[in-house]
Amino acid sequence: MIVGSVREGRVGPAVTDWFLRTAAGGEDVEFDVIDVADVPLPLAMPGRGGAPDPGAAAALKEVSPRLAAADAFVVITPEYNHSFPAALKNLIDWHHAEWQAKPVGFVSYGGLGGGIRAVEQLRLVFAELHAVGMRDAVSLHWPWSHLTEDGTPNDTAVTEGAAKGMLGQLMWWGRALRSARAERPYAA
């Protein structure tokens, strides 16, 4: 799971906690939460064939193996100005092979649209990286006024149903693509 916001006062961690509680108790799945706020990657990247600076190298040493080990991803993103946060895009752009031939599910939050515009743009980014975006997603509308203190949405029947549906798709694709990658490594 990738928490995509670094904004002060963000609700991303609360949404993540809710999603983890909702996903718990299902099938045998392990979650590793990567919070972009805890990954100090610079915006300046080395040129083609160049090496990252020592700070970036240390951050990559911590996060890249975790992304590579994942069979699937859940991206939790707010919508900022009809898009997703720059810090999330930065984490995505520092990696390439880690995303390939793996499924990506989305949990978004925002105002009236619930973050769906951010998800639509992320679908394009992940498609370019040869990842498989899940058709169904979870969107939370007005989370700052529609979440309880522990991050639980007020409309639990709708949101939990959406979460379970997306997780079902994600797990199916995760298993199928893991088997496919093991049988025949993916080369983009």
Side-chain angles (χ1 to χ4, degrees):
M1 295 183 70
I2 300 168
V3 184
S5 173
V6 297
R7 182 177 280 181
E8 188 175 320
R10 64 199 175 127
V11 298
V15 171
T16 302
D17 290 344
W18 163 76
F19 189 80
L20 285 168
R21 287 191 310 272
T22 301
E27 298 184 44
D28 185 26
V29 178
E30 291 181 37
F31 291 97
D32 179 12
V33 178
I34 296 172
D35 189 335
V36 295
D38 299 331
V39 183
L41 288 171
L43 293 175
M45 294 180 177
R48 187 172 295 277
D53 68 45
L60 291 168
K61 184 178 179 183
E62 169 66 26
V63 74
S64 298
R66 294 166 65 191
L67 294 173
D71 287 323
F73 302 99
V74 175
V75 176
I76 298 177
T77 185
E79 182 177 308
Y80 296 161
N81 302 318
H82 290 211
S83 188
F84 54 92
L88 175 57
K89 181 68 161 72
N90 193 44
L91 174 75
I92 294 168
D93 286 347
W94 273 95
H95 298 89
H96 187 71
E98 292 83 355
W99 311 114
Q100 291 179 349
K102 295 180 181 179
V104 183
F106 302 98
V107 177
S108 65
Y109 56 94
L112 185 61
I116 59 174
R117 293 171 288 216
V119 169
E120 288 307 308
Q121 292 180 30
L122 281 167
R123 290 181 193 282
L124 296 172
V125 171
F126 280 109
E128 181 63 23
L129 294 167
H130 297 253
V132 179
M134 295 301 91
R135 178 4 191 122
D136 293 344
V138 181
S139 62
L140 305 173
H141 305 261
W142 305 105
W144 41 90
S145 61
H146 290 100
L147 296 179
T148 63
E149 283 188 28
D150 71 351
T152 302
N154 290 332
D155 60 346
T156 55
V158 171
T159 54
E160 286 181 11
K164 299 283 186 188
M166 187 268 290
L167 275 169
Q169 292 175 9
L170 190 69
M171 291 171 60
W172 188 92
W173 278 102
R175 287 186 181 107
L177 291 174
R178 178 180 56 207
S179 295
R181 289 189 316 272
E183 182 179 315
R184 184 174 184 183
Y186 187 82

